[in-house]
């Protein structure tokens, strides 16, 4: 067993923590059902032999045994189904929650590695594959092995020659290394193609209005159709391989049945067996062959699972931001940057930048596009680490190095749309779930967002995905109102007047200057009016 397989098994083992007992119970119930079916075969043989006067016995009692046995088998199967479905639901929730949280906490360098559409395919399709393998295929594989061995053993006791012949004609050739590698290669290509289609579909849906406005809809549609054709071609290859394997299985299955039937008829004619034994032969052949067929059919599922496990494990193999206790400073005096440098893929964005943003001295950060304004904000928020120099928050007692721990001191309004689907109230309460109605009214007023009260349901108005029911300027002001509910003392605003008319922009700035007179205010902007209202202008060259 190679290292990769061991890692995959260990990962799956950890995933089943707290549910292994229930999975074991599922297997035991299924095994009990198998035992019951074998008993029913034995009692059926006895009933037929009694009915044909081959042996003596109480026929009514035997029939009663058969009924009781089959009822117990049904009960075991129903209980097993309930346990299986319960564990399946719990495991899919656990796995998907873990994956989403892992991606939410990714460190900056790894965030751009996967597209959101690809992630959604992995979290839905691949997660379902893995959980179905754990809750169905693996336990069923164990049960099928028991069923095969017990049925084969039962048949061997009745006729060792027939048992040997049935096993020989079983389609074990499909377990060959060639078949495995061929199927695994195609499965990997299908998974990759499905992720690519997920990327295209997600982008098409997210940007559907923009695509129509730019007349790109047809090109993007053709791109999606081309991706689907690629998946279709790959799945046709899968289907051909599957049809080949099914053909071999059916041929073997029918051949085995005919062999058992002919062998039984020959021995029955020779008077070597009874009618009951002949019936048992035919039942047991099916119970031997069907597990073999099931074991072979598990192979594609195992390959899909292995591919899915690899794709999911990739999502965890990156640096993540660790949970840490947030440090809130009661009275920060300034944010200090000392010789800060940062580079993306060896391209220098910031080089030896030094600055100090102070309480009561609003500062406008300006510079042409690509000079690192957004990067500077991410560094201040502790989302990224500088490649040189350092950033600190200064209070009356000490310097506190900026990291994820200090992020709670910042009130941040990003550029562009940052609202979520739901009501306006739900969006606002993200910043402070305990905010009162009076506090909500106050921040809406400061953000010049009183337009909310003219909406059909006021703050309980549904705004749709990404605030589609609102204008850009309204979305911008609601994002500001939400941020102001935070208790941080460092306010960082990124292009907050870009979608506002001149009158609204001046009123908003006046409100923010007044409300934040005792705060550290940083405005990233291209707005010359906003620059004039600030005490300092810091230029990134």
């Amino acid at each position: 067993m190679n290292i990769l397989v061991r890692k995959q098994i260990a990962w799956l083992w950890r995933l089943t923590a707290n549910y292994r007992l229930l999975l074991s119970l599922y297997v035991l119930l299924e095994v009990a059902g198998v035992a019951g079916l074998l008993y029913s075969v034995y009692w059926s043989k006895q009933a037929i032999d009694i009915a044909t006067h081959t042996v003596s016995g109480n026929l009514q009692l035997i029939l009663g045994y058969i009924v009781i046995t089959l009822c117990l088998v049904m009960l075991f199967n129903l209980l097993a189904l309930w346990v299986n479905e319960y564990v399946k639901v719990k495991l899919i929730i656990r796995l998907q929650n873990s994956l989403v949280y892992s991606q939410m906490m990714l460190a900056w360098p790894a965030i751009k590695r996967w597209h959101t559409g690809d992630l959604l395919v992995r979290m839905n399709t691949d997660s379902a594959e893995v959980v179905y393998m754990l809750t169905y295929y693996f336990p069923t594989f164990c049960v099928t092995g028991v069923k095969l061995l017990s049925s084969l053993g039962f048949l061997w006791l009745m006729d060792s020659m027939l048992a040997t012949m049935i096993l020989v004609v079983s389609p074990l050739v499909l377990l060959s290394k060639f078949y495995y590698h061929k199927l695994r290669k195609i499965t990997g290509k299908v998974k990759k193609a499905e992720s690519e289609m997920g990327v295209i579909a997600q982008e098409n849906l997210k940007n559907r209005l923009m695509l129509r406005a730019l007349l790109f809809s047809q090109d993007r549609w053709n791109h999606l159709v081309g991706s689907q054709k690629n998946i279709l071609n790959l799945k046709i290859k899968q289907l051909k391989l599957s049809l080949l394997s099914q053909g071999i299985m059916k041929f073997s299955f029918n051949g085995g049945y005919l062999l058992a039937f002919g062998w039984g008829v020959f021995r029955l004619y020779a008077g070597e067996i009874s009618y009951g034994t002949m019936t048992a032969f035919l039942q047991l052949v099916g119970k031997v062959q069907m597990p073999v067929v099931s074991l072979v059919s598990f192979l594609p599922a195992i390959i899909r699972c292995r591919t899915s496990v690899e794709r999911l494990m990739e999502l965890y193999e990156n640096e993540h931001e660790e949970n840490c206790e947030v440090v809130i400073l009661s009275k920060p005096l300034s944010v200090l940057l000392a010789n800060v440098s940062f580079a993306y893929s060896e391209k220098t964005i910031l080089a030896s930048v030094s600055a100090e943003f102070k309480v009561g001295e609003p500062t406008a950060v300006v510079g042409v596009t690509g000079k690192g304004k957004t990067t500077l904000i991410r560094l201040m928020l502790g989302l990224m680490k500088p490649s040189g120099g350092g950033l600190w928050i200064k209070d009356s007692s000490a310097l506190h190095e900026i990291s994820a721990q200090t992020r709670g001191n910042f009130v941040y309004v990003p550029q562009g749309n940052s609202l979520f689907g739901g009501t306006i109230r739900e969006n606002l309460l993200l910043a402070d779930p305990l905010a009162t109605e009076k506090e909500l009214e106050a921040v809406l007023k400061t953000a010049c967002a009183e337009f909310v009260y003219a909406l059909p349901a006021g703050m309980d108005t549904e705004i749709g995905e990404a605030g589609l029911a609102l204008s850009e300027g309204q979305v911008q002001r609601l994002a500001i109102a939400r941020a102001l509910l935070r208790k941080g003392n460092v306010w960082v605003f990124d292009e907050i007047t870009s979608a506002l008319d001149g009158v609204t922009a001046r009123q908003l700035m006046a409100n923010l200057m007044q409300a934040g007179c005792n705060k550290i205010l940083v405005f990233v902007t291209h707005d010359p009016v906003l620059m004039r209202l600030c005490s300092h202008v810091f230029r990134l060259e």
Side-chain angles (χ1 to χ4, degrees):
M1 186 183 295
N2 61 41
I3 296 175
L4 178 59
V5 173
R6 286 200 295 268
K7 284 184 177 180
Q8 291 173 348
I9 292 174
W11 185 80
L12 291 170
W13 179 254
R14 290 193 297 271
L15 182 61
T16 59
N18 302 327
Y19 296 102
R20 293 168 198 150
L21 186 61
L22 285 174
L23 287 172
S24 300
L25 176 61
Y26 169 72
V27 172
L28 289 174
L29 288 169
E30 287 289 326
V31 169
V34 171
L37 288 175
L38 290 176
Y39 269 114
S40 71
V41 171
Y42 172 75
W43 293 125
S44 297
K45 172 187 177 302
Q46 291 294 103
I48 292 173
D49 285 342
I50 292 173
T52 57
H53 305 290
T54 305
V55 298
S56 60
N58 189 329
L59 183 60
Q60 289 80 7
L61 181 62
I62 298 298
L63 292 175
Y65 287 160
I66 294 173
V67 171
I68 292 172
T69 301
L70 293 178
C71 287
L72 287 174
V73 169
M74 290 175 58
L75 177 62
F76 292 149
N77 289 340
L78 287 173
L79 288 174
L81 179 63
W82 186 91
V83 171
N84 180 265
E85 289 299 320
Y86 174 81
V87 175
K88 188 187 301 180
V89 171
K90 298 290 284 188
L91 279 181
I92 195 70
I93 291 173
R94 167 186 281 186
L95 180 54
Q96 290 180 337
N97 286 351
S98 172
L99 290 167
V100 171
Y101 185 77
S102 171
Q103 292 304 301
M104 289 176 66
M105 299 304 291
L106 271 184
W108 171 256
I111 286 178
K112 59 182 180 293
R113 184 174 176 185
W114 291 285
H115 191 283
T116 307
D118 180 18
L119 291 175
L120 289 175
V121 170
R122 296 184 189 220
M123 290 176 186
N124 291 313
T125 305
D126 290 314
S127 292
E129 289 272 9
V130 170
V131 170
Y132 198 66
M133 174 61 73
L134 288 173
T135 58
Y136 176 74
Y137 283 115
F138 281 168
T140 305
F141 185 86
C142 297
V143 174
T144 302
V146 172
K147 187 183 296 184
L148 173 61
L149 293 176
S150 57
S151 300
L152 191 61
F154 200 167
L155 185 59
W156 182 276
L157 292 174
M158 298 181 68
D159 193 314
S160 60
M161 180 61 71
L162 178 60
T164 303
M165 289 189 292
I166 293 299
L167 192 61
V168 168
V169 300
S170 295
L172 298 178
V173 66
L174 294 180
L175 297 176
S176 69
K177 194 172 183 180
F178 169 78
Y179 178 75
Y180 176 84
H181 285 299
K182 184 76 172 176
L183 194 57
R184 180 164 164 75
K185 184 178 179 180
I186 296 176
T187 301
K189 289 181 177 180
V190 169
K191 289 288 185 182
K192 183 179 178 181
E194 287 175 342
S195 283
E196 291 172 353
M197 192 197 75
V199 168
I200 299 168
Q202 190 268 345
E203 289 183 340
N204 285 1
L205 292 173
K206 179 182 178 181
N207 302 305
R208 51 193 180 271
L209 292 179
M210 181 190 72
L211 292 176
R212 294 207 301 270
L214 298 176
L215 303 180
F216 291 167
S217 297
Q218 189 60 48
D219 288 338
R220 291 294 300 182
W221 172 252
N222 292 340
H223 194 25
L224 178 64
V225 171
S227 175
Q228 290 172 327
K229 286 182 178 177
N230 182 39
I231 293 174
L232 176 62
N233 291 333
L234 289 170
K235 289 200 170 183
I236 287 174
K237 290 182 179 180
Q238 269 187 324
L239 180 60
K240 289 179 179 178
L241 195 59
S242 175
L243 288 175
L244 174 63
S245 65
Q246 288 183 32
I248 295 173
M249 283 192 293
K250 288 182 178 180
F251 179 81
S252 300
F253 185 86
N254 290 328
Y257 186 84
L258 289 173
L259 179 65
F261 182 78
W263 181 260
V265 168
F266 174 76
R267 295 196 66 192
L268 185 63
Y269 179 76
E272 297 176 356
I273 61 172
S274 66
Y275 288 106
T277 303
M278 174 68 180
T279 305
F281 273 178
L282 298 180
Q283 291 186 73
L284 286 171
V285 166
K287 293 184 185 304
V288 170
Q289 286 190 317
M290 287 307 297
V292 174
V293 172
S294 297
L295 289 174
V296 173
S297 69
F298 287 161
L299 188 59
I302 292 171
I303 292 171
R304 289 197 305 272
C305 179
R306 276 204 63 189
T307 306
S308 294
V309 168
E310 288 175 9
R311 285 160 55 84
L312 294 180
M313 288 177 66
E314 281 181 344
L315 302 183
Y316 293 98
E317 295 172 354
N318 292 282
E319 182 183 356
H320 292 78
E321 183 179 292
E322 295 182 3
N323 287 324
C324 54
E325 185 178 353
V326 176
V327 176
I328 302 294
L329 306 179
S330 58
K331 292 183 178 180
L333 300 176
S334 67
V335 174
L336 182 65
L337 285 65
N339 298 315
V340 173
S341 299
F342 190 85
Y344 290 110
S345 302
E346 299 183 356
K347 179 183 177 182
T348 300
I349 305 298
L350 298 173
S352 299
V353 173
S354 297
E356 188 170 9
F357 307 118
K358 299 179 181 179
V359 169
E361 299 181 12
T363 301
V365 177
V366 302
V368 298
T369 301
K371 287 298 180 180
K373 299 186 297 297
T374 300
T375 299
L376 183 63
I377 291 176
R378 290 171 179 163
L379 290 168
M380 292 171 63
L381 294 172
L383 296 171
M384 302 187 305
K385 297 178 181 179
S387 52
L391 299 90
W392 294 270
I393 297 181
K394 180 181 178 182
D395 63 11
S396 57
S397 61
L399 288 175
H400 305 269
E401 186 174 7
I402 284 180
S403 66
Q405 284 185 297
T406 60
R407 194 176 300 151
N409 294 282
F410 288 80
V411 169
Y412 171 51
V413 179
Q415 184 178 358
N417 195 328
S418 61
L419 298 186
F420 302 92
T423 66
I424 292 174
R425 185 187 302 276
E426 288 169 343
N427 270 274
L428 294 175
L429 293 178
L430 284 172
D432 182 4
L434 301 179
T436 64
E437 201 72 17
K438 186 175 181 180
E439 288 172 324
L440 293 175
E441 292 174 1
V443 295
L444 287 171
K445 182 177 181 181
T446 301
C448 297
E450 294 98 330
F451 67 85
V452 166
Y453 301 110
L455 296 174
M459 277 191 280
D460 295 310
T461 300
E462 292 278 348
I463 58 176
E465 183 181 0
L468 286 178
L470 305 174
S471 70
E472 288 186 28
Q474 289 174 325
V475 167
Q476 211 164 40
R477 283 176 280 168
L478 285 176
I480 295 168
R482 180 179 63 192
L484 294 179
L485 285 171
R486 296 286 305 276
K487 308 305 180 186
N489 289 299
V490 185
W491 292 5
V492 181
F493 303 100
D494 191 358
E495 299 288 2
I496 60 169
T497 61
S498 61
L500 302 180
D501 61 85
V503 174
T504 304
R506 285 191 291 273
Q507 182 60 57
L508 173 64
M509 290 307 302
N511 292 350
L512 291 177
M513 294 293 186
Q514 180 180 357
C517 60
N518 295 318
K519 311 287 185 182
I520 300 171
L521 270 61
V522 180
F523 298 92
V524 173
T525 186
H526 288 94
D527 188 345
V529 175
L530 194 158
M531 294 180 205
R532 288 195 294 271
L533 292 172
C534 291
S535 303
H536 302 285
V537 175
F538 178 70
R539 295 186 181 276
L540 286 171
E541 303 295 345

